[in-house]
Amino acid sequence: MTMTPRPLSHEILNAILRIRRVDEKDASSTTPADEEEQIKAVQLPRIQRFIDAGEPIEFVLPAFPAKSPNPNKVLGRLPDLAERISLQSLDKLCADIKQLYAPGAYLTICSDGRVFGDVIGVDDADISAYQSAISKIIEQKYADHLKLYNLEDCALLNTPANNFDAMRRLMIERYAEPLDAIKHKLLNSPDGTHLYRAISRFMFEDNLTPTYTGSRSALQKKAKLMAVEVIQRSWAWGDLLAQAFPDAIRLSIHPQAASSSKIGIHMMPAQNAWVTPWHGVAVDMGDRIELMSRKAAQLSGAHLVMQDDQPSHYAIAPSRFTQNPMAQAV
């Protein structure tokens, strides 16, 4: 029996869904088949518009903000092997689509560290250094498919260069809802409550540093307030990006509902669906590279691996990245 070829838009969507990030703790009652149909209904028409116009598929991904300020989670302030592998994964997605569709694809990384750095306790100087390092990696290896876009690149915000506080303030004025409205919206939907709890946990963990001397209950209270503000800024950034990139396929580093306009993706295996390269470290397990917190890596018995005199990652066994000369291509 001859199989009918699948439309090109389906093949492109399948390439994206191969790296879809799913929250294993999601209590959703939908089946994988139901979810796939919901995703198709949202995404196929958007993909088809690019195909009909003969244009490259355009993606935007809010991500790569800055390293967590908690040294129990990360190796330092600058990108390491976790970011390099993740950028390689995003480049591969675009390259895979190029094999299916001649115009190809490109992805704009919308770095959101500047958006909420003042809330999470990361200095603008650290954010600038992190963004500069990410930009150099892209320019050296992935410029054909990847681009970097920061708050200061946004022409919609007419503010003096390097006046980051003014940029944030203007973004909030133009695109953000009040904090009370954000909290009400979060707590009145299952998905919103799940997001609120997850970000609250992130804020608690990020601020539970070795130098913290307060009580856990006080930090939990602070983390909940921070979570609402981070979500407010993130949603405002998303609305700004929707205006700046109106036709782009929207990706996310967090799990997303099947009916969402965004598709959650993972860039490398991780201990859970919420850990990211900037909240963890890469650990060479011998047969795979996995993301986890620095503390978890140390407790597992992994040893630190250096590259170019900088902390790079951890390894359970002798690391392939110190033995294989092709490692520098990552």
Side-chain angles (χ1 to χ4, degrees), residues 158-178:
N158 185 18
T159 55
N162 299 324
N163 190 341
F164 304 127
D165 287 334
M167 292 177 192
R168 285 186 282 261
R169 185 166 56 251
L170 190 56
M171 182 195 70
I172 293 169
E173 290 174 358
R174 292 186 179 179
Y175 296 97
E177 297 180 60

Side-chain angles (χ1 to χ4, degrees), residues 285-307:
M285 310 291 286
D287 60 342
R288 68 190 186 282
I289 306 293
E290 185 173 311
L291 275 174
M292 63 182 74
S293 72
R294 180 181 185 179
K295 186 173 182 179
Q298 292 172 331
L299 290 174
S300 73
H303 65 275
L304 179 64
V305 178
M306 305 287 289
Q307 283 187 358

Side-chain angles (χ1 to χ4, degrees), residues 87 90-91 94 106-107 109 138 142-148:
L87 291 169
L90 296 175
D91 181 75
C94 296
Y106 65 93
L107 187 152
I109 296 169
I138 290 173
Y142 308 120
D144 287 346
H145 296 141
L146 305 183
K147 302 178 182 180
L148 186 65

